[in-house]
Amino acid sequence: MTDGTADEWRGWRAATEAALYGPDGFYRRPEGPAGHFRTSVHASRLFAEAVARLLCRVDEALERPAALDFVDMAAGRGELVTGVLAALPADVAARTRAYAVEIADRPPGLDHRIEWLPEPPHTITGLLFANEWLDNVPVEVAEVDAAGVARRVLVRRDGTERLGEQLSAAEARWLARWWPLPAEEGLRAEIGLPRDEVWADAVGSVGRGLAVAVDYAHAVDARPLFGTLTGFRAGRETAPVPDGSCDITAHVALDACTLPGGRVLAQREALRALEITGARPPLALATTQPAAYVRALASAGEAAELTAPGGLGDFGWLLQPVGIEHAPLGGLLVDVPDHEEQ
């Protein structure tokens, strides 16, 4: 049984922490996250190839250090880090120290080159990549009461909710700055302060290189009126019940997480800069090399899914350079049109 009794009222942050990461929590289950939802990593090997390409650009920006770190945050069962190692050129792979950061036990049969850790290593020289990590960092939920005051939402293990106390001063400041709620009863928000803090800590572990967070995101001028808290079980969206039976997730205010020098852009723009375009192969190839045409067509379909508006292409990429110049990153940190930013 996950920590907490069925009739205990707790804030969503504590309830989610226990439900996801407690002794019998969702993320400790043997099937892993891939058994319940599909990320860009699972959608196509092209995603890992794009991240490998990004690591090579970071390597160039760092002037090819003797040891190049790649850190996969919230690594699941090591799918991304495995794919990145497989996609690297031999000379880069030989210098790469690969780390998977995850609370679950190391999966059997994982590549021996991958070090399995509960937290990122210190003083990283290279790339820290967090794909759909921040959305699972537990946060409090606030709801406006009948008097127009934002209060903490309390929840029991069965998902029943009620309003609790007023927010702390720090939470109220964050809400006023990053997710201002009109004084209308029933409006809700997720207070992203814990995510800002863990992201700052993760970036702080990078001595030189780049930290990237990829997630469902929204911006301060377009926050949803009733929040985004939801659950996933066996590939389907479901009610967020904090009993350990489902994933509990909420979209991320990546703009609030961004540190000086960082920027947020859409996944479709990031992947295009990393040579994932979704362009169909020329039809003439079907006649001259039919097998190659079929492979290229399948690859184009996968790329189109990764970059699709209204789908994975709308994910936000937060890029935070540390001690490196923008130019060697191949357009990822230069200005993009305002309508393309999250």
Side-chain angles (χ1 to χ4, degrees):
M1 178 176 174
T2 305
D3 293 346
T5 60
D7 60 353
E8 181 182 0
W9 291 102
R10 295 185 288 180
W12 267 105
R13 184 180 181 188
T16 301
E17 182 73 31
L20 297 185
Y21 307 116
D24 299 315
F26 177 83
Y27 277 97
R28 298 187 186 274
R29 294 170 61 151
E31 70 271 21
H36 294 271
F37 52 86
R38 188 166 179 258
T39 72
S40 297
V41 177
H42 308 119
S44 173
R45 60 178 175 76
L46 296 176
F47 190 79
E49 291 176 3
V51 176
R53 208 166 283 128
L54 178 58
L55 179 60
C56 289
R57 294 185 187 180
V58 172
D59 182 45
E60 179 184 351
L62 293 170
E63 299 180 334
R64 299 177 179 83
L68 177 69
D69 298 323
F70 175 68
V71 181
D72 181 8
M73 295 292 296
R77 297 303 177 264
E79 298 95 337
L80 177 60
V81 64
T82 299
V84 168
L85 282 176
L88 287 174
D91 63 314
V92 180
R95 292 183 287 109
T96 297
R97 299 184 298 197
Y99 302 93
V101 179
E102 181 58 69
I103 65 162
D105 294 336
R106 181 188 182 98
L110 189 69
D111 191 316
H112 68 90
R113 294 175 295 174
I114 300 169
E115 188 171 350
W116 196 263
L117 299 173
E119 57 186 30
H122 299 293
T123 319
I124 295 162
T125 301
L127 174 62
L128 179 145
F129 200 89
N131 185 62
E132 296 196 43
W133 169 48
L134 291 177
D135 68 308
N136 286 127
V137 173
V139 293
E140 297 291 3
V141 177
E143 182 175 321
V144 179
D145 67 12
V149 177
R151 308 183 75 88
R152 193 182 317 278
V153 177
L154 305 182
V155 64
R156 294 197 302 197
R157 194 168 182 270
D158 64 0
T160 305
E161 291 182 335
R162 70 172 174 84
L163 295 187
E165 70 275 14
Q166 292 189 27
L167 306 177
S168 71
E171 291 168 337
R173 284 194 300 270
W174 188 95
L175 208 62
R177 170 65 180 87
W178 292 109
W179 198 328
L181 285 173
E184 181 178 332
E185 184 177 7
L187 297 186
R188 291 169 67 121
E190 293 100 30
I191 303 171
L193 184 60
R195 294 168 173 177
D196 299 354
E197 293 169 346
V198 299
W199 179 245
D201 286 345
V203 173
S205 69
V206 179
R208 289 184 68 226
L210 182 68
V212 180
V214 180
D215 243 307
Y216 291 105
H218 43 58
V220 68
D221 58 352
R223 305 284 192 221
L225 294 176
F226 299 100
T228 62
L229 189 74
T230 192
F232 284 93
R233 182 189 297 114
R236 294 181 180 275
E237 190 168 7
T238 186
V241 178
D243 61 359
S245 68
C246 67
D247 184 31
I248 297 174
T249 179
H251 293 196
V252 182
L254 284 179
D255 49 355
C257 297
T258 305
L259 299 169
R263 70 175 300 117
V264 180
L265 66 159
Q267 173 158 297
R268 60 184 171 275
E269 294 303 314
L271 291 183
R272 285 170 186 162
L274 293 167
E275 303 173 32
I276 306 296
T277 65
R280 292 173 62 89
L283 191 58
L285 189 64
T287 302
T288 59
Q289 300 180 56
Y293 176 78
V294 171
R295 289 194 300 271
L297 194 63
S299 180
E302 293 174 6
E305 180 183 4
L306 290 173
T307 58
L312 294 175
D314 288 346
F315 271 56
W317 278 47
L318 167 54
L319 298 109
Q320 195 73 53
V322 180
I324 58 174
E325 296 296 328
H326 293 182
L329 296 178
L332 279 167
L333 288 169
V334 301
D335 288 340
V336 296
D338 290 343
H339 70 275
E340 294 292 4
E341 295 191 22
Q342 295 293 303

